[in-house]
Amino acid sequence: MAAAAPATIKFTAANALTGIAVLGIAYLIYFDQRRQRDPAFRRTLRENRKKAAEAREQDAKKAAEGADASVKAVMSALGLDEDIVPTTEEERQRYLQKQLQLGEELLKRGPTYYKAASTCLYRAVKVYPDPFKLLMAFQDTVPTQVFEDIMAMMATDADGGRQARPAGTAAAVELD
């Protein structure tokens, strides 16, 4: 009698799985037929898809706003709100080092801080004597998103990211 029980359990389990599979397939067929033939059901599905897309869009917008707010808070805490470019060569060197270090620190914090890091690195490019050389180094070392942000900042900058530099620096070239 003990040997008959496991066979019965196997048979019952197989029947149960078969029944569940048949019910699942029947439901899929019913759903598909209803979707194809019932205009009100199609309309409801369409509306649900639109609502879900809008909800995803709003969630993404809220997440981006939250990330922007946290980046702005970090930038203000680090004193990056003001963009005062130094005029003397010694001050420029300190400013350059500070911006590069801050940019590296923000890059280490992850993708949330990439915008702030891009801002710091862009400011470093602005005061570096040979911006092209620094940009080439950034292209190889920073994430693509950060490099693209720096390039976008340079494109929007009216003077192309270059400022008047003191005489004696490598980039002090006058064009006639």
Side-chain angles (χ1 to χ4, degrees), residues 1-12:
M1 183 140 191
T8 307
I9 292 174
K10 286 182 184 178
F11 183 71
T12 305

Side-chain angles (χ1 to χ4, degrees), residues 140-173:
D140 295 335
T141 57
V142 299
T144 306
Q145 178 185 353
V146 174
F147 183 73
E148 289 172 357
D149 288 344
I150 294 170
M151 294 306 290
M153 288 178 201
M154 291 198 63
T156 58
D157 194 8
D159 59 359
R162 298 178 190 266
Q163 292 186 344
R165 289 175 172 64
T169 61
V173 178

Side-chain angles (χ1 to χ4, degrees), residues 112-139:
T112 306
Y113 297 95
Y114 279 0
K115 287 284 188 195
S118 300
T119 303
C120 291
L121 297 175
Y122 169 69
R123 290 176 181 171
V125 168
K126 283 176 63 174
V127 297
Y128 193 71
D130 189 4
F132 184 72
K133 190 181 274 187
L134 187 59
L135 283 172
M136 295 307 291
F138 285 163
Q139 188 175 14

Side-chain angles (χ1 to χ4, degrees), residues 33-49:
Q33 292 296 321
R34 188 168 175 208
R35 181 183 57 83
Q36 289 179 7
R37 294 191 179 135
D38 188 0
F41 187 69
R42 283 195 308 261
R43 193 174 316 113
T44 304
L45 287 176
R46 199 174 316 121
E47 289 171 1
N48 289 344
R49 271 189 242 119

Side-chain angles (χ1 to χ4, degrees), residues 55-120:
R56 279 192 305 269
E57 200 173 287
Q58 287 178 351
D59 288 344
K61 189 175 182 180
K62 285 180 183 178
E65 288 174 359
D68 286 345
S70 67
V71 167
K72 287 179 183 178
V74 167
M75 288 183 70
S76 67
L78 294 173
L80 298 177
D81 288 344
E82 63 279 343
D83 188 21
I84 302 170
V85 179
T87 55
T88 67
E89 190 62 32
E90 185 178 307
E91 290 174 346
R92 282 178 172 269
Q93 286 296 328
R94 276 189 265 140
Y95 182 79
L96 173 70
Q97 290 298 323
K98 178 183 174 188
Q99 295 301 320
L100 287 174
Q101 288 172 350
L102 286 173
E104 288 176 15
E105 287 298 319
L106 291 169
L107 282 174
K108 289 178 186 175
R109 290 186 181 190
T112 306
Y113 297 95
Y114 279 0
K115 287 284 188 195
S118 300
T119 303
C120 291

